[in-house]
Amino acid sequence: MSGFSRRALLLASLSGSILSSTALFAQEATDRGIDDEIVVTAQKREENLQNVPISIQALSTRKLDQLNITNFEDFSKLLPSVSFQSSQPGVTTVYMRGVASGGDGNHSGSLPSVGVYLDEQPVTTIGGTLDIHVYDIARIESLAGPQGTLYGASSQAGTIRIITNKPSTAGFEGRVDGEVNSVKSGGIGGRVEGMINAPISDMAALRVVGWYQRNAGYIDNVAGTRSFLPTPGGITVNNATFVEKDFNDAKVYGGRAALKVDLDDNWTVTPTVLYQKQTSSGVFSQDPRVGDLQTQRFNPDQRSDKFIQAALTIEGKLGNFDITYAGAYLDRKTYQINDYTDYAEAYDALYASSGGLAGYFYFEDSAGNDIDPRQYIIGTDHFRKTSQELRIASPQDERFRIVAGLFYQRQSNEIHQDYKVDGLAAALSVNGLPGTLWLTEQKRVDKDYAAFGEASFDILPNLTLTGGGRYYKFDNSLIGFFGFGRNPAGPPFNGAGSSRTGVAGCYTTTGAILRDNPGGTLLPAAVPGGPCTNLADFVGGGLVPKRTKDNGFTHKLNMTWKPTEDLMTYATWSRGFRPGGINRRATVAPYAADFLTNYELGIKSTLADGRVRLNAAIYQQRWKSFQFSFLGANSFTEIHNGPNARIRGIEADINVRATEGLTITAAASYTNAKTRNNLCAIDDPTFTCTGAGNSISAPAGTRLPVTPKFNGNATMRYAFPVGSGEMHLQSVIAHRGSASADIRVAQATELGRIGGSTTVDFAVGYDFGKFSLEAFLENAFDERAELARSSNCGQCNGRVQILVNQPRTIGLRAGTKF
């Protein structure tokens, strides 16, 4: 049976099951509802999910456990409005509702457009989303659409909130869970997790969670060669030293501890600490020119990502007003080494008319001999983030109620990117760093300030008007060094033969750059590790960071009508924003903030005596002057403000308890996201793309990349008594349509489309007493789902890397509670 036929049969069977289950409503009368009431805090208050006038999906503790959710990739496939770009575990940029221009996530790129929170504290960093291990989590809330009023700058397109289970003084409890699995065409993986909740007194309790997980590899690094010009007489290399089967294994371990102390009947203090370390080897992409689940790498590929967050939440009352303080400090360090041979291969071909790298560049040792031109990158990022929020909320049962607060955030990143060519002569390297062809040594600081508030007024008992606003101010800066070295005895000045980029652009004591003042004295490096500073402003005899800052106001207006207890409709007009910033190439101007305006109609309903929950929303969004990142000259990331875009879409989810034991859930989204103006190769405020060297990179009407037109998923779970326990059968189907990998037409054509896919999971389990046992089959039909397409450099699109999902995996889980 073909893959298409198999998927069609499965979807048809699922549709038939839903229809059959619906027909049973009248026959299977029961007082039991769909699920326990889901309480969310999306609007900074505790509310029933069905009473929140936001397009929101919530995955409860029960759902997370049933579906074995452990990381971002697991739960994102259940959220059809969410899409993402990734290259490996821990390197993920999240998008919602099609608000994606591609190329984000660089260590000095745009800030994320989707905010991620752990409890009350934001954990979104400059470098993308923290892939927090999901265990002992109360719920995950996905808020689609601009959340700029309550959540600010990094919630332009939406917000994802991970809410942990809190310590409880009700009694001692714990649980331990384990898993072992086998990956087709790969190795053996598994994990162990545990939790203990221990009351310390009637007013204090401690909750400690720990985990260790090993993901088996399934990508093979196979034997290959690369040949560099001239032919004959050039250099041919092989990767025999690095050939390895299943070389992309990953490990993650960590823990979380929370102490809850009730100071009295009104005030509670909850300090928490989270630590996690994730390590991976190899790459998680396949090279279609090599083979299925295969690639060829010529240098080591490794990554380490560790972070620790200390947070403090204080909740209490002043009179009948609720007061909340939420503060946190996050420290994240990443290290990675990556093969960059594709860059050498691409540029050797680019300069073929000049004899390749050997004829155009100066990849030579100290004796003047040509050397192996392969490159690799050693990179580190050190992120620090401090956030503080203080807010007040009036009584929720009053006709007029408010939520208001103040917010401050400072985040920084110390960036180190060392592009190595082994054997490169010291005189041709970055000054003081033999073997370094190119160096980035910079420090970025982003600061945000805000005052926000929302007020709701019940015009009638079933008609509510809500208005909100956020005054914001941002101040973002960047300073440091980027580029090649400069040999005083040159030319050649460096291995690339460049006389302009790198040390040549560094400031001297007079304020002139070295290229214009060859005999001048260089100012010391502003960022330790660099030879000098070429990304800064010269002020008063010294160097200060390049800076961009601005302020503004975002708004929200919502009308909610609840004609019956089980039906609510709402209309929303809201706006989100993303701050501007500094380009890390000094000659490229700063980029400005971009804005997203959302118009939305939604409905939330509970039907059939509580056994059906159906929610849906339709929206149109205007994305103005969207920030657009791409690899420019020298494969150097540039961020520009592009044209405008319009995004129209529909999203819906349904939860059905067809019988006492059969539950069916489904969710889907349709997104139509297109540019309204031409995207030009060179910035052009008229979008006509005329003038010397300019051209149309993407004509008006081009679909935005990354997000498919259609995403959908469905889950069926049937539970029934067997002996003294309960058995369950479960299936999950997740479908994602195809999408463009790049907004630029030529690059998108070279990369090819991100293929659509449908994956199916099965599980059968038995719960008896305090024990549980489950066998599972994930990606049962071994679908090779494409998650992303990319290349290693701006000229490397001829060798596409395709990030794929994990092949078919079979395994066994067991757990106990005490």
Side-chain angles (χ1 to χ4, degrees):
M1 183 182 292
S2 70
F4 175 80
S5 299
R6 182 169 56 229
R7 291 193 293 269
L9 177 61
L10 287 165
L11 292 172
S13 299
L14 180 59
S15 300
S17 298
I18 294 176
L19 293 174
S20 299
S21 302
T22 306
L24 290 171
F25 290 158
Q27 303 171 28
E28 299 283 346
T30 176
D31 293 333
R32 189 175 178 184
I34 300 165
D35 200 348
D36 296 336
E37 178 182 290
I38 298 179
V39 175
V40 298
T41 51
Q43 297 190 120
K44 308 282 188 176
R45 299 175 179 271
E46 290 190 351
E47 298 172 281
N48 186 319
L49 173 71
Q50 294 302 95
N51 293 331
V52 181
I54 296 175
S55 180
I56 174 174
Q57 282 187 269
L59 304 176
S60 64
T61 301
R62 179 186 300 176
K63 191 81 167 180
L64 294 171
D65 286 345
Q66 288 176 350
L67 299 181
N68 191 37
I69 303 298
T70 64
N71 57 31
F72 173 80
E73 185 179 333
D74 287 341
F75 68 74
S76 66
K77 71 180 183 181
L78 302 174
L79 305 174
S81 295
V82 174
S83 55
F84 63 92
Q85 283 184 307
S86 181
S87 58
Q88 62 192 83
V91 186
T92 301
T93 303
V94 186
Y95 306 103
M96 295 182 79
R97 284 188 172 178
V99 182
S101 60
D104 299 325
N106 185 276
H107 45 241
S108 203
S110 299
L111 284 168
S113 63
V114 174
V116 178
Y117 277 67
L118 180 65
D119 292 321
E120 293 286 342
Q121 289 79 12
V123 291
T124 318
T125 70
I126 296 170
T129 303
L130 294 183
D131 196 359
I132 297 171
H133 186 81
V134 176
Y135 183 72
D136 193 42
I137 297 298
R139 65 188 178 277
I140 294 176
E141 301 175 4
S142 175
L143 288 59
Q147 306 297 324
T149 302
L150 293 179
Y151 293 99
S154 286
S155 291
Q156 178 190 44
T159 302
I160 294 175
R161 308 181 68 230
I162 302 173
I163 311 299
T164 62
N165 285 315
K166 302 302 185 291
S168 171
T169 58
F172 180 87
E173 62 173 325
R175 60 182 291 193
V176 177
D177 297 277
E179 175 187 312
V180 62
N181 60 64
S182 175
V183 180
K184 180 181 180 293
S185 304
I188 303 296
R191 72 176 190 265
V192 61
E193 304 158 312
M195 175 278 293
I196 291 178
N197 181 87
I200 299 173
S201 69
D202 291 340
M203 302 184 70
L206 176 68
R207 196 177 191 99
V208 179
V209 184
W211 57 85
Y212 172 85
Q213 180 172 336
R214 181 186 184 278
N215 295 329
Y218 48 87
I219 301 290
D220 298 337
N221 191 21
V222 300
T225 61
R226 296 284 188 273
S227 295
F228 301 96
L229 295 172
T231 301
I235 294 175
T236 298
V237 298
N238 66 65
N239 65 343
T241 304
F242 305 104
V243 170
E244 183 181 353
K245 182 176 174 57
D246 307 331
F247 83 136
N248 65 317
D249 60 323
K251 298 177 183 177
V252 58
Y253 58 88
R256 187 176 71 244
L259 176 66
K260 181 179 180 182
V261 179
D262 296 326
L263 301 179
D264 55 29
D265 291 340
N266 292 324
W267 288 88
T268 298
V269 177
T270 309
T272 64
V273 62
L274 165 70
Y275 172 82
Q276 181 174 296
K277 183 173 183 179
Q278 186 174 61
T279 59
S280 61
S281 300
V283 295
F284 291 74
S285 301
Q286 64 183 28
D287 184 341
R289 293 174 55 172
V290 179
D292 181 47
L293 300 178
Q294 293 182 337
T295 190
Q296 290 175 344
R297 307 290 285 184
F298 292 77
N299 281 295
D301 289 282
Q302 299 173 351
R303 188 172 193 275
S304 170
D305 182 354
K306 66 177 180 179
F307 53 84
I308 185 168
Q309 184 207 48
L312 176 66
T313 303
I314 303 174
E315 299 168 290
K317 285 186 175 293
L318 288 178
N320 60 352
F321 280 71
D322 294 322
I323 306 294
T324 301
Y325 167 80
Y329 175 75
L330 173 68
D331 190 293
R332 180 188 187 188
K333 296 179 180 178
T334 69
Y335 166 87
Q336 62 186 51
I337 178 170
N338 291 112
D339 180 36
Y340 209 38
T341 297
D342 287 359
Y343 180 95
E345 178 188 43
Y347 275 77
D348 192 59
L350 181 66
Y351 298 121
S353 61
S354 301
L357 292 175
Y360 193 86
F361 280 39
Y362 300 89
F363 286 4
E364 300 171 352
D365 61 18
S366 56
N369 301 311
D370 288 344
I371 60 173
D372 178 353
R374 286 179 297 169
Q375 295 183 41
Y376 60 96
I377 309 170
I378 298 176
T380 64
D381 289 282
H382 188 180
F383 305 96
R384 295 184 176 95
K385 179 169 186 166
T386 300
S387 64
Q388 298 188 74
E389 178 173 307
L390 178 64
R391 68 176 184 269
I392 185 170
S394 64
Q396 193 167 348
D397 55 0
E398 295 291 335
R399 186 178 183 185
F400 178 77
R401 50 202 178 273
I402 62 167
V403 175
L406 300 172
F407 177 80
Y408 167 75
Q409 176 177 272
R410 183 187 190 274
Q411 54 182 331
S412 64
N413 183 15
E414 297 172 10
I415 306 162
H416 170 78
Q417 295 281 306
D418 188 345
Y419 292 73
K420 307 285 290 185
V421 179
D422 287 340
L424 186 66
L428 301 174
S429 305
V430 173
N431 303 56
L433 297 169
T436 295
L437 176 67
W438 175 288
L439 179 72
T440 299
E441 201 75 54
Q442 298 174 348
K443 182 172 183 179
R444 172 176 174 171
V445 177
D446 290 28
K447 293 184 285 188
D448 299 276
Y449 312 82
F452 63 90
E454 282 192 2
S456 297
F457 178 69
D458 295 333
I459 301 171
L460 298 171
N462 62 352
L463 183 66
T464 301
L465 177 66
T466 299
R470 188 181 189 97
Y471 172 79
Y472 66 84
K473 179 180 179 181
F474 66 82
D475 184 349
N476 300 338
S477 64
L478 188 63
I479 190 171
F481 173 84
F482 68 98
F484 303 109
R486 185 174 177 88
N487 177 13
F493 294 105
N494 45 60
S498 172
S499 62
R500 303 185 61 81
T501 303
V503 174
C506 282
Y507 287 95
T508 63
T509 53
T510 64
I513 61 174
L514 185 64
R515 184 173 62 244
D516 299 332
N517 183 23
T521 302
L522 289 171
L523 286 168
V527 178
C532 50
T533 302
N534 57 9
L535 179 61
D537 286 326
F538 185 82
V539 178
L543 298 177
V544 297
K546 283 188 171 294
R547 171 180 286 179
T548 182
K549 55 184 179 179
D550 201 357
N551 59 75
F553 182 82
T554 61
H555 66 268
K556 174 183 176 181
L557 189 64
N558 173 274
M559 180 72 77
T560 302
W561 180 45
K562 197 166 185 180
T564 71
E565 183 65 26
D566 296 326
L567 178 64
M568 182 185 76
T569 62
Y570 65 89
T572 298
W573 173 37
S574 58
R575 198 181 195 210
F577 78 102
R578 185 167 47 163
I582 300 296
N583 270 289
R584 61 192 185 109
R585 185 188 289 276
T587 55
V588 179
Y591 52 96
D594 59 1
F595 298 89
L596 184 73
T597 303
N598 175 58
Y599 306 90
E600 180 175 334
L601 296 173
I603 184 172
K604 295 194 171 185
S605 61
T606 305
L607 310 170
D609 296 326
R611 285 178 286 115
V612 179
R613 186 171 64 223
L614 173 63
N615 299 334
I618 183 171
Y619 61 87
Q620 176 172 293
Q621 300 181 137
R622 291 189 293 109
W623 194 11
K624 184 179 180 182
S625 301
F626 61 75
Q627 294 172 16
F628 164 61
S629 303
F630 65 96
L631 293 176
N634 308 115
S635 293
F636 205 79
T637 299
E638 298 181 16
I639 304 100
H640 296 258
N641 288 96
N644 303 323
R646 183 178 64 196
I647 306 168
R648 292 171 171 167
I650 302 172
E651 53 202 14
D653 63 89
I654 185 170
N655 190 319
V656 178
R657 182 172 293 280
T659 68
E660 183 68 17
L662 178 61
T663 302
I664 302 170
T665 62
S669 69
Y670 171 81
T671 307
N672 187 7
K674 295 181 179 181
T675 60
R676 299 296 305 277
N677 316 97
N678 295 329
L679 174 65
C680 302
I682 300 175
D683 289 348
D684 180 355
T686 68
F687 306 116
T688 58
C689 307
T690 56
N694 210 347
S695 61
I696 297 176
S697 295
T702 299
R703 282 189 58 81
L704 297 181
V706 182
T707 303
K709 275 190 176 182
F710 179 78
N711 282 339
N713 64 79
T715 302
M716 281 195 301
R717 184 180 177 92
Y718 181 55
F720 52 95
V722 174
S724 59
E726 182 180 79
M727 179 166 280
H728 66 263
L729 306 173
Q730 180 174 279
S731 178
V732 179
I733 299 177
H735 172 79
R736 287 190 177 274
S738 66
S740 173
D742 198 296
I743 191 174
R744 298 166 296 172
V745 174
Q747 286 76 8
T749 301
E750 287 184 311
L751 290 173
R753 290 185 67 81
I754 302 170
S757 61
T758 302
T759 59
V760 184
D761 303 336
F762 296 109
V764 55
Y766 187 61
D767 298 331
F768 50 102
K770 296 182 178 180
F771 299 92
S772 63
L773 188 66
E774 183 179 69
F776 63 89
L777 183 62
E778 295 178 347
N779 191 11
F781 300 104
D782 199 28
E783 177 84 353
R784 200 69 71 239
E786 296 185 6
L787 305 179
R789 282 178 172 246
S790 62
S791 62
N792 284 338
C793 70
Q795 302 292 332
C796 295
N797 290 344
R799 191 172 287 277
V800 178
Q801 309 298 313
I802 304 178
L803 181 71
V804 294
N805 65 332
Q806 186 167 292
R808 180 170 59 237
T809 303
I810 187 170
L812 186 68
R813 304 185 188 102
T816 183
K817 298 179 180 179
F818 52 88

